[in-house]
């Protein structure tokens, strides 16, 4: 079965940096889109960044120039480098994979995501 496990969240001051990791198993890592989504309290989950099987990336306008998505195929691990963090980046961040069928897909760019990790909390204070 598909397993996605996030780590690396924490609390930082505005302007600081964090790197989130997503360890994956149970599927051919490089055959599917991978992505990061986030959800703040009282708000809907929104797409942050995606990387497809060819390495092409898509970013939400709100994080362009600050966040970088990458993957290490040898480790089946997805990363999100978050720099210049702002209080509005505070959210639970979820790793996602496009594998899992069409039910309940959430899109960012051309990829639809239906498999989700448990989330890791990022808190940015001012």
């Amino acid at each position: 079965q598909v397993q996605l496990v996030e780590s690396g969240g924490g609390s930082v001051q505005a302007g600081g940096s964090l790197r989130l990791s997503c360890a994956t198993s149970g599927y051919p890592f490089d055959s599917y889109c991978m992505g990061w989504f986030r959800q703040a309290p009282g708000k809907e989950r929104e797409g942050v960044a995606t990387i497809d099987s060819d390495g092409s990336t898509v970013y939400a306008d709100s994080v362009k120039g600050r966040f970088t998505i990458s993957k290490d195929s040898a480790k089946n691990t997805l990363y999100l480098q978050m720099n210049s963090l702002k209080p509005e980046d505070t959210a639970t961040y979820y790793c996602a994979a496009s594998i899992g069928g069409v039910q309940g897909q959430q899109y960012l760019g051309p990829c639809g995501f239906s498999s989700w990790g448990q989330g890791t909390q990022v808190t940015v204070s001012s």
Side-chain angles (χ1 to χ4, degrees):
Q1 61 180 5
V2 175
Q3 291 187 305
L4 309 172
V5 181
E6 303 95 334
S7 62
S11 298
V12 298
Q13 294 283 338
S17 298
L18 286 172
R19 189 180 75 158
L20 306 183
S21 298
C22 174
T24 76
S25 62
Y27 72 101
F29 179 76
D30 280 332
S31 296
Y32 297 90
C33 294
M34 297 295 299
W36 291 96
F37 290 72
R38 66 187 182 186
Q39 187 169 25
K43 301 187 71 175
E44 295 296 315
R45 186 169 58 196
E46 64 177 353
V48 175
T50 68
I51 184 165
D52 70 13
S53 58
D54 295 323
S56 297
T57 58
V58 175
Y59 294 92
D61 288 342
S62 60
V63 307
K64 285 180 180 176
R66 300 188 298 120
F67 291 9
T68 302
I69 188 171
S70 62
K71 60 182 180 179
D72 185 337
S73 297
K75 297 180 179 180
N76 294 339
T77 300
L78 180 74
Y79 301 98
L80 183 68
Q81 179 66 46
M82 304 186 294
N83 297 326
S84 301
L85 283 162
K86 303 175 180 180
E88 51 262 45
D89 295 318
T90 295
T92 300
Y93 283 71
Y94 297 91
C95 178
S98 62
I99 194 172
V102 300
Q103 181 179 343
Q105 286 191 329
Q106 187 168 354
Y107 287 83
L108 180 60
C111 297
F113 297 88
S114 55
S115 295
W116 306 90
Q118 84 290 345
T120 186
Q121 179 65 37
V122 171
T123 301
V124 184
S125 61
S126 60

